[in-house]
Amino acid sequence: MENNNFQVQEYVNQMSLLLDLPINDEYKDGVIANFDKITDIAEIVNNFPLPEEIEIAPIFEP
């Protein structure tokens, strides 16, 4: 599920427009840096192998 073409800066800019949620220039670099980290973490989670026999839990109870 690796996507080397994903452009974090473009994603942040497009989502800002789509959601009508302007991001001040002073915060934009931080937002992009955080989404870049989120992308790296999501890749690890999405690439974690799960056995086929695992079933989803109908109710989550911590």
Side-chain angles (χ1 to χ4, degrees), residues 1-31:
M1 183 162 232
E2 189 174 322
N3 187 353
N4 294 331
N5 296 326
F6 182 69
Q7 301 293 321
V8 175
Q9 183 172 358
E10 185 63 24
Y11 176 80
V12 169
N13 291 335
Q14 292 297 319
M15 287 295 108
S16 174
L17 292 172
L18 181 68
L19 297 172
D20 193 24
L21 183 67
I23 302 171
N24 294 341
D25 289 339
E26 61 190 286
Y27 302 120
K28 192 167 274 195
D29 288 341
V31 171

Side-chain angles (χ1 to χ4, degrees), residues 23-41:
I23 302 171
N24 294 341
D25 289 339
E26 61 190 286
Y27 302 120
K28 192 167 274 195
D29 288 341
V31 171
I32 291 169
N34 281 320
F35 267 94
D36 200 27
K37 290 176 189 174
I38 291 168
T39 302
D40 292 341
I41 293 167

